[in-house]
Amino acid sequence: MNCKEATHLMSEDLDRPLRWHEQVALRFHLMMCSGCRNFRTQIGFLRAAIRLRSGGD
């Protein structure tokens, strides 16, 4: 898996549950790639901020 595929899966994870093999591949990539770990942290922060702003849970 490369970074482009990893970021795509992280975005997909916001919309649907990832399949088992997608989760394993993504976790393995995240163990090795600090850039994608940072991306994951950032999209998590943005998601939380949007929920807070929209009054969601």
Side-chain angles (χ1 to χ4, degrees):
M1 174 176 290
N2 60 35
C3 294
K4 184 176 180 179
E5 293 166 335
T7 54
H8 177 75
L9 279 181
M10 286 185 268
S11 295
E12 285 285 315
D13 191 32
L14 297 175
D15 298 328
R16 64 171 178 87
L18 297 180
R19 295 182 186 111
W20 183 83
H21 71 278
E22 293 172 325
Q23 292 177 13
V24 170
L26 180 58
R27 285 183 187 193
F28 186 73
H29 181 83
L30 289 173
M31 286 191 303
M32 299 184 307
C33 182
S34 63
C36 287
R37 285 194 304 270
N38 289 337
F39 178 79
R40 185 178 191 184
T41 300
Q42 290 170 353
I43 63 170
F45 174 79
L46 289 173
R47 184 178 191 184
I50 290 169
R51 279 187 177 170
L52 182 65
R53 179 71 176 145
S54 67
D57 49 5

